[in-house]
Amino acid sequence: MINRKKYYNAIYKKRFTIFLMSILLLMFGNLLFPNNRQCIIETTFLSQNMIMGYLLFLDSSKIKKNIMLITISIGILLKVIDQFTEENLSAYFLFAYVLFFGFSTVKLFRYLKKHDHVDIESISAVFSGFLLIGFVFALAFISIDKGNESAFISNVHYLGFSDFLYFSFVTLLTIGYGDISPSTELTKKMVLILGLIGHFYTVFVTAIIVGKYMAVIGEKKTKSSDQNDHLI
């Protein structure tokens, strides 16, 4: 008989690593499939990412878990309708994903605040938070582009999800190749905000991780010194 509690605990302990893997699959999974299936792949991978995000809330109250479950369900439904019908629901899906992003980010930072030492899970939590920022802005850029096709300038006739995802992370990492550029006041301001967030997140979260790491090192040195003094 399968020990459900055992597997539940195993999944829960690795929830941030699993969530990070789902984000990386969303980023690079389309490389494994032909171009004519990209719409289906995009919807599938976005859906699995939101579903994996539910793992972060396994220890939350029943109300919080239900709110997250409703948010994820509505988000997936909106994405499916937007992708396979004539309806343009990208803005509504963006709203649902922003809620998902907000709830997940709060969970990530609470974990980092409570977690005393640096390990694979804490690094996965930090990395996941950074990647989620890029995804939220990529979806925002797509929504703006659907409403105003001149919002971005590019040498590519059609900009899809992968293009805006690329542009979002190029901006977040402050690389700025220039092959895709904002052309309206709104998109220019959003690009500025994204760059600032990228810098702030890197400095702020790095400081937290380094601080925790140094605290652990300090504790080990103190324990080692106490043991040596006891031996003497």
Side-chain angles (χ1 to χ4, degrees):
M1 184 176 178
I2 298 175
N3 191 336
R4 292 185 178 180
K5 188 174 182 180
K6 178 180 178 181
Y7 284 101
Y8 175 90
N9 291 334
I11 291 173
Y12 178 73
K13 288 180 180 179
K14 297 295 182 182
R15 62 195 182 281
F16 291 104
T17 302
I18 295 172
F19 185 53
L20 175 60
M21 293 299 104
S22 77
I23 298 175
L24 294 176
L25 179 62
L26 176 56
M27 289 183 68
F28 303 108
N30 65 319
L31 297 175
L32 304 174
F33 299 90
N35 290 330
N36 61 345
R37 297 289 183 179
Q38 291 304 307
C39 291
I40 298 175
I41 298 306
E42 174 193 331
T43 302
T44 302
F45 286 164
L46 274 168
S47 298
Q48 65 83 27
N49 174 236
M50 297 185 77
I51 292 171
M52 292 300 106
Y54 184 74
L55 296 177
L56 306 182
F57 297 84
L58 291 177
D59 63 337
S60 300
S61 64
K62 188 175 180 180
I63 294 176
K64 290 181 180 179
K65 286 195 286 189
N66 287 338
I67 291 173
M68 195 63 183
L69 187 61
I70 292 171
T71 301
I72 291 171
S73 300
I74 292 175
I76 293 173
L77 180 62
L78 288 171
K79 184 60 182 176
V80 171
I81 295 174
D82 177 66
Q83 196 71 70
F84 299 105
T85 67
E86 297 282 332
E87 299 291 331
N88 183 6
L89 301 177
S90 57
Y92 297 102
F93 172 72
L94 172 63
F95 179 74
Y97 199 86
V98 167
L99 287 178
F100 168 76
F101 164 76
F103 294 145
S104 300
T105 302
V106 170
K107 199 69 176 176
L108 291 171
F109 277 106
R110 283 183 176 176
Y111 174 80
L112 291 174
K113 184 179 179 181
K114 294 179 180 179
H115 209 55
D116 294 329
H117 58 281
V118 180
D119 56 10
I120 295 297
E121 280 295 282
S122 60
I123 294 174
S124 296
V126 170
F127 199 20
S128 296
F130 186 78
L131 296 179
L132 280 177
I133 295 172
F135 277 107
V136 168
F137 274 85
L139 293 171
F141 293 147
I142 290 174
S143 299
I144 294 172
D145 185 67
K146 285 187 176 182
N148 180 7
E149 293 184 357
S150 62
F152 295 90
I153 300 173
S154 173
N155 53 7
V156 179
H157 179 67
Y158 172 76
L159 293 173
F161 175 73
S162 60
D163 297 304
F164 282 112
L165 188 63
Y166 156 79
F167 172 68
S168 181
F169 278 102
V170 164
T171 304
L172 186 62
L173 296 169
T174 64
I175 299 173
Y177 289 118
D179 49 346
I180 302 175
S181 304
S183 60
T184 65
E185 195 66 23
L186 175 60
T187 52
K188 288 177 181 178
K189 298 301 183 192
M190 288 187 66
V191 166
L192 286 175
I193 292 171
L194 179 56
L196 289 172
I197 290 175
H199 274 293
F200 175 78
Y201 188 94
T202 303
V203 173
F204 180 71
V205 177
T206 300
I208 293 176
I209 294 298
V210 172
K212 289 181 180 295
Y213 179 75
M214 294 304 296
V216 172
I217 295 297
E219 289 179 2
K220 288 182 178 180
K221 286 183 177 180
T222 301
K223 289 181 180 180
S224 177
S225 178
D226 291 341
Q227 290 177 354
N228 291 335
D229 291 341
H230 179 71
L231 291 174
I232 293 173

